[in-house]
Amino acid sequence: MTRSDAMTTRERLLDVADDLLADKGIRATTMSTVAERAEVSRAWLYRLFPDKNALVGAALMRLVETTWERNHAELEAIDGFEDRLVAGVAIGRRAYDDPGATLMRLRTVEPEEFAAAIGVGVAGLVPDLAGFWHRYLGEAVRDGDIHPETDLDEAAEWVARVMISLGSVAGRHVDADDPQSVRRHFRRYVLPALRCAPAH
């Protein structure tokens, strides 16, 4: 099987997993059923996804990534890097908290299974989300919002990690659902770090 075939097979498996998760939930979604419905051998399924958490995590992350891509237009319409960061957290939260959405339902109904799968899936999300934020960091350098010597690749990965944390993990001191709390956090820690010359 070529790389292109493997990517197509992977997408087909994720499509089936999406349907099963929406219909049956995490516990009732089995690797065997996914392979059977996708008309893929179990050997190929396990070659692409070593276990159920990897498969479900990838399906959940694809839902999150779709939300981000849909909302590029929303961030493009916002002026200023700080305002984009604050809006970015709200966008990330919507991916999990949209009433009736598969992500919200699974997180609420099957919290332990959701946490286990999303933890595996997040590992694959970091590079994709870093790529998403890279363009906005580049514009922030151009506009003078962050230091001109900022390593955009490294900074984009850090911003991605901050966004994932604020979007998916509750904390005691930053209320991710309160834009003012999020803005204060960015102003105190994230933006000052990005405005300084990078340490060597």
Side-chain angles (χ1 to χ4, degrees):
M1 185 178 284
T2 66
R3 178 177 171 79
S4 175
D5 290 339
M7 291 303 293
T8 301
T9 301
R10 184 180 191 277
E11 290 304 307
R12 191 160 76 246
L13 288 164
L14 290 175
D15 287 342
V16 170
D18 284 345
D19 291 343
L20 287 168
L21 289 169
D23 185 41
K24 297 175 175 283
I26 298 172
R27 282 186 214 103
T29 296
T30 67
M31 297 289 273
S32 296
T33 305
V34 171
E36 183 181 323
R37 289 201 185 175
E39 298 179 348
V40 172
S41 71
R42 289 186 65 187
W44 256 109
L45 170 60
Y46 281 101
R47 188 167 171 183
L48 294 170
F49 300 101
D51 55 39
K52 180 176 170 178
N53 277 342
L55 173 64
V56 174
L60 296 177
M61 285 301 101
R62 193 170 68 157
L63 291 173
V64 173
E65 289 169 15
T66 300
T67 300
W68 278 103
E69 289 303 320
R70 256 196 336 258
N71 289 286
H72 257 311
E74 185 175 335
L75 290 188
E76 292 289 351
I78 295 172
D79 290 327
F81 185 58
E82 178 182 315
D83 288 337
R84 283 177 171 168
L85 287 173
V86 174
V89 173
I91 289 170
R93 297 291 289 172
R94 282 202 307 260
Y96 294 97
D97 293 331
D98 182 18
T102 300
L103 286 167
M104 174 61 173
R105 183 171 51 78
L106 294 175
R107 188 176 73 169
T108 303
V109 176
E110 301 179 274
E112 291 178 9
E113 292 82 357
F114 182 90
I118 207 81
V120 173
V122 161
L125 178 60
V126 171
D128 293 338
L129 195 53
F132 178 93
W133 279 100
H134 195 280
R135 76 169 79 170
Y136 302 113
L137 283 152
E139 290 176 18
V141 166
R142 184 197 66 209
D143 295 340
D145 289 332
I146 64 176
H147 200 278
E149 294 177 22
T150 298
D151 180 322
L152 294 182
D153 294 331
E154 188 175 14
E157 182 173 309
W158 179 49
V159 168
R161 291 178 184 279
V162 170
M163 289 296 174
I164 290 168
S165 175
L166 289 172
S168 60
V169 182
R172 293 181 182 166
H173 303 290
V174 181
D175 181 354
D177 293 316
D178 176 5
Q180 293 299 29
S181 178
V182 170
R183 187 179 300 276
R184 184 172 60 248
H185 179 72
F186 282 131
R187 284 183 175 176
R188 286 180 174 175
Y189 304 105
V190 177
L191 289 167
L194 289 170
R195 288 173 180 151
C196 291
H200 295 288

